[in-house]
Amino acid sequence: MFQPPACGPNRNGCRRNIHVLPPLLLLLLYSSLKASLAARPKGPGQTHLNSIRIDGDISLGGLFPVHARGHDGKPCGELKKEKGIHRLEAMLFALDRINNDNNLLPNITLGARILDTCSRDTHALEQSLTFVQALIEKDGTDVKCLGGGAPIITKPERVVGVIGASSSSVSIMVANILRLFKIPQVSYASTAPELSDNTRYDFFSRVVPPDTYQAQAMVDIVKAMRWNYVSTVASEGNYGESGVEAFIQKSREDGEYICPDTAILPLL
């Protein structure tokens, strides 16, 4: 049983209130410590929240929607298994296969810095600044140690390329930053036609076809069914809205009289 330390008598009744103060102080100290740790900047060797770091000779960046969008001011929501965790595991599996095969990259080990986009473009942009930190020159001429010597600034690992992102809106946001530092980006799921513009996204590539092919297939189905009025339902963002625009454009290019009725729904 907890025994409070003795203290001298006073007018405030120290002996009577000492049993109540320790639990309250512990609770306050715990809350303060938790808040300070959450707000403390990460030093060298420390990982960010919702991130994976694998050491290697060459580091690749990764962007995956492990969590859905958060609500009520929270950046991240519930876990996304199929489109988030499964794709993340696929990249980790590929890294293991490459590192365990001596014929592919002999004497070279691939590392990774994988971040969670939380299915939000602004959050992904903030996280992606980690990829370019090693390429930003820091001026330490005005910083001196206590002994008068120059400080030793440890740079984070350099990322030679980025795998991701999933959502087109996230890939567009991140591509605008990575192209400034000439970091290649390869997406596994972004299909917005806007990303096909090589003048704006010259360091971006993808392994999936753009939405224009989907739009052409939709037009072909409408023509085969001899419909002249269709309703389209799209998600809010570059993927859904650009897809509907591509569908309307393709229908006009084919000379078909199709009247589309479009409804844009917000992402949940």
Side-chain angles (χ1 to χ4, degrees), residues 65-69 78-86 119:
V66 180
H67 290 85
R69 287 190 179 189
E78 66 277 3
L79 285 174
K80 297 179 65 175
K81 296 182 180 180
E82 290 79 11
K83 295 184 178 181
I85 297 179
H86 289 181
S119 307

Side-chain angles (χ1 to χ4, degrees), residues 108-153:
I108 295 178
T109 303
L110 290 180
R113 184 61 178 273
I114 303 176
L115 304 176
D116 183 7
T117 64
C118 293
S119 307
R120 186 183 297 272
D121 51 0
T122 54
H123 180 76
L125 178 62
E126 180 182 353
Q127 297 290 308
S128 298
L129 295 178
T130 306
F131 298 145
V132 301
Q133 286 181 355
L135 302 177
I136 299 177
E137 295 292 336
K138 296 183 179 180
D139 186 11
T141 57
D142 296 336
V143 181
K144 298 294 182 181
C145 298
L146 295 178
I152 300 177
I153 301 177

Side-chain angles (χ1 to χ4, degrees), residues 27-61:
L27 180 60
L28 291 175
L29 288 174
Y30 172 77
S31 301
S32 301
L33 180 61
K34 184 177 180 181
S36 62
L37 289 176
R40 183 180 300 175
K42 309 298 179 182
Q46 291 181 299
T47 57
H48 291 223
L49 293 177
N50 300 333
S51 69
I52 296 177
R53 179 177 178 178
I54 302 174
D55 295 329
D57 301 320
I58 300 176
S59 293
L60 297 175

